[in-house]
Amino acid sequence: MRLLWLLATLVALTSAGIHKDSPKERYDNFRVYKLTIQNKIQLAVIEKIGELTKKYNIWKEYDERSREIDIMVSPGELNHFQELLKFNNISSELMVENVQERIDEEQVTPTADSATFGWTKYYELEEIEAWLDEILNAYPSVTEEFIVGKSYEGRTIRGIKISHKAGNPGIFIESNIHAREWITSASATWFINQLLTSEDADVRSLADNYDWHIIPVFNVDGFEYSHKKDRMWRKTRQPHATNACIGADANRNFDSYWLQNNGASSNPCSQTFAGDNPGSEPEAKALVEYLTKIQDQISVYISFHSYGQYLLSPYGHTKEEFPENYNDILTIGKAFADSIEALPYGTVYQYGSTADVLYVATGTSVDWVFNELGKKIVYTIEYRDKGRYGFILPPVQIIPNCEELMVGMLALIEKTKELGYL
Ligand code: 0X9
Ligand code: ZN
């Protein structure tokens, strides 16, 4: 028995510790299924297998409203998985037949974009930072760099402040806290560019009348890792003292209902591992300190995520209670969603509290800003799509997604102002 345990530990150690010069993780014939859950037992079974990190990877946590959960399955596990679905009477829909094919397609680069930053492909951290430097150089009178702090691996977490005049209310955007959600930093950089270059009157007024504090890539270590080693990486990169699994979910590591109500996991191998304690991840700790310092300059806080097409608001920790200004939060959410749906793409966004329209999530950055800093207007945007491509949103959809962001943001800010928050 002891020998068996030792062997199991060894296997776990060698498979989880991806060495520096190890090749990129491949996802040949990995499939993604959307499952419909009918009872607690079915959910428990799926959540349990979801923690077997080499065989499964939960792409989208269980959504109580739709009763759906998206899960990636490795080819070697497929037969077992199908038996398990049958045995537990769980219905499924195949969303992605071969994840590696999607990843390969994502990498196909139009030649026109190789010289300039153009939002027709996804860029690596180095390229995003070089672009940020160019922008800071090109617009020195209205832009300014800010530094949130250092990541576990020692990278600098950078942001850009865009301010056209003194005394503007501030809007803070945090993006790519989850490494594999590449559309978020693509959207953040596009948005920065619009604020600086657009000649549209509405966008100009957004740029002129608010101070924008934007972090295009917050989880820098994870993002780099998602490009260089594992496209499906979500968490931070800090190793765990007693477990071979690496990283925590930075969006479960904030000190607001931390690890409560099943809104996060205490298992270091889970995709929603909360960390050993609030602020155990240097990135989350740095953001808390930075936001605490500049809190007086911020009126609205927005966190960019993918996927699922939602505009989420507090609370994340319970659906039994709602914030006292929930009506306003919904009115603003409706303005956001309606304006996006009115575009020719017809994309539908759902809006409402995280715990009500999605699932219970605790220790998130936005809930911390809402509950601890007392900011009344905070949202999480979950971008395209509904699971057809999931995290691997094709580059041709970057600009359409960004167009939706802009009309949504214009409507959101306008309504927020109309209701007296700005
Ligand atoms: O689970 C999350 O952290 C977010 N979804 S994702 O699929 N991108 O991982 C949702 C976070 C919801 N936000 C709040 N609870 N405020
Ligand atoms: Zn996310």
Side-chain angles (χ1 to χ4, degrees):
M1 195 61 200
R2 268 177 73 186
L3 188 70
L4 212 76
W5 181 83
L6 189 74
L7 260 173
T9 316
L10 273 177
V11 170
L13 276 176
T14 42
S15 59
I18 296 162
H19 300 291
K20 275 234 151 45
D21 37 17
S22 64
K24 252 190 199 175
E25 202 73 34
R26 289 194 59 89
Y27 288 96
D28 298 289
N29 302 312
F30 279 63
R31 290 182 168 190
V32 181
Y33 286 92
K34 195 179 274 300
L35 309 179
T36 305
I37 302 291
Q38 281 151 346
N39 57 53
K40 282 200 171 121
I41 299 169
Q42 292 179 340
L43 184 60
V45 170
I46 299 303
E47 285 186 335
K48 204 70 221 158
I49 62 168
E51 292 186 353
L52 305 169
T53 47
K54 285 285 140 184
K55 297 174 174 168
Y56 296 95
N57 186 320
I58 292 183
W59 272 30
K60 195 160 176 292
E61 301 271 315
Y62 176 60
D63 169 344
E64 278 194 26
R65 264 204 192 168
S66 64
R67 303 190 145 266
E68 288 167 353
I69 183 165
D70 295 355
I71 187 164
M72 180 171 75
V73 188
S74 67
E77 192 62 15
L78 243 162
N79 283 341
H80 181 223
F81 177 70
Q82 269 151 357
E83 276 168 24
L84 193 119
L85 293 188
K86 219 163 141 192
F87 184 77
N88 288 284
N89 202 13
I90 301 174
S91 57
S92 67
E93 182 190 349
L94 181 62
M95 300 302 284
V96 183
E97 204 175 342
N98 183 348
V99 171
Q100 188 60 46
E101 253 173 33
R102 292 265 182 277
I103 295 175
D104 294 342
E105 283 162 15
E106 185 185 44
Q107 286 305 325
V108 177
T109 312
T111 41
D113 198 66
S114 45
T116 51
F117 205 88
W119 296 279
T120 53
K121 61 170 277 202
Y122 292 104
Y123 297 94
E124 300 207 7
L125 184 62
E126 208 181 63
E127 296 169 298
I128 294 177
E129 298 220 344
W131 174 82
L132 198 64
D133 286 332
E134 271 173 39
I135 288 288
L136 290 161
N137 267 326
Y139 302 93
S141 59
V142 291
T143 67
E144 189 187 317
E145 178 185 36
F146 67 88
I147 307 250
V148 178
K150 290 254 188 247
S151 69
Y152 171 74
E153 289 176 345
R155 294 187 177 84
T156 305
I157 305 166
R158 305 170 69 195
I160 181 171
K161 180 176 169 190
I162 302 174
S163 175
H164 282 78
K165 61 173 158 51
N168 277 341
I171 299 166
F172 199 100
I173 295 178
E174 154 241 295
S175 163
N176 235 160
I177 190 170
H178 288 143
R180 61 192 175 185
E181 297 166 11
W182 289 3
I183 184 61
T184 61
S185 46
S187 303
T189 50
W190 183 90
F191 191 76
I192 293 167
N193 190 55
Q194 287 293 307
L195 289 178
L196 293 167
T197 63
S198 172
E199 286 169 8
D200 178 275
D202 293 335
V203 179
R204 287 283 21 104
S205 124
L206 213 54
D208 291 343
N209 298 315
Y210 301 95
D211 280 1
W212 295 86
H213 306 245
I214 305 178
I215 307 171
V217 182
F218 175 67
N219 180 1
V220 278
D221 295 353
F223 185 70
E224 178 71 359
Y225 195 80
S226 72
H227 273 275
K228 296 272 162 52
K229 298 287 181 194
D230 184 353
R231 178 65 185 86
M232 288 306 134
W233 195 258
R234 166 181 169 99
K235 298 190 278 182
T236 60
R237 289 295 303 163
Q238 177 167 249
H240 195 269
T242 59
N243 188 295
C245 287
I246 288 178
D249 184 345
N251 206 33
R252 297 292 183 282
N253 196 234
F254 292 80
D255 199 1
S256 178
Y257 297 91
W258 182 81
L259 205 50
Q260 291 180 37
N261 304 1
N262 283 322
S265 172
S266 57
N267 175 355
C269 295
S270 164
Q271 294 292 346
T272 53
F273 175 47
D276 284 327
N277 47 265
S280 60
E281 305 313 289
E283 298 81 4
K285 185 168 181 282
L287 186 58
V288 162
E289 284 165 8
Y290 184 74
L291 289 173
T292 305
K293 205 169 68 193
I294 63 145
Q295 56 181 301
D296 294 343
Q297 300 174 39
I298 305 298
S299 302
V300 172
Y301 188 94
I302 299 178
S303 178
F304 287 1
H305 287 255
S306 74
Y307 59 93
Q309 296 166 203
Y310 301 98
L311 182 73
L312 303 168
S313 59
Y315 297 125
H317 72 281
T318 179
K319 58 172 182 165
E320 312 307 326
E321 280 172 56
F322 295 90
E324 46 84 21
N325 65 332
Y326 195 55
N327 275 342
D328 288 350
I329 290 174
L330 289 181
T331 305
I332 297 164
K334 183 174 175 358
F336 175 91
D338 286 352
S339 70
I340 292 178
E341 202 174 337
L343 285 180
Y345 307 115
T347 305
V348 176
Y349 269 72
Q350 272 176 272
Y351 57 93
S353 92
T354 298
D356 194 30
V357 306
L358 196 58
Y359 44 72
V360 171
T362 54
T364 65
S365 62
V366 292
D367 281 24
W368 180 82
V369 171
F370 187 86
N371 293 321
E372 304 305 316
L373 292 185
K375 302 298 169 191
K376 292 291 169 213
I377 300 298
V378 307
Y379 288 102
T380 299
I381 306 178
E382 297 272 359
Y383 287 116
R384 290 185 181 199
D385 58 7
K386 299 292 281 177
R388 168 111 173 74
Y389 294 95
F391 303 114
I392 319 166
L393 191 72
V396 293
Q397 290 199 42
I398 298 174
I399 290 176
N401 186 78
C402 291
E403 290 167 359
E404 289 169 350
L405 161 65
M406 185 53 89
V407 298
M409 190 69 96
L410 284 166
L412 184 151
I413 297 301
E414 191 187 42
K415 211 25 118 196
T416 304
K417 186 171 162 49
E418 200 181 297
L419 292 173
Y421 293 94
L422 283 169

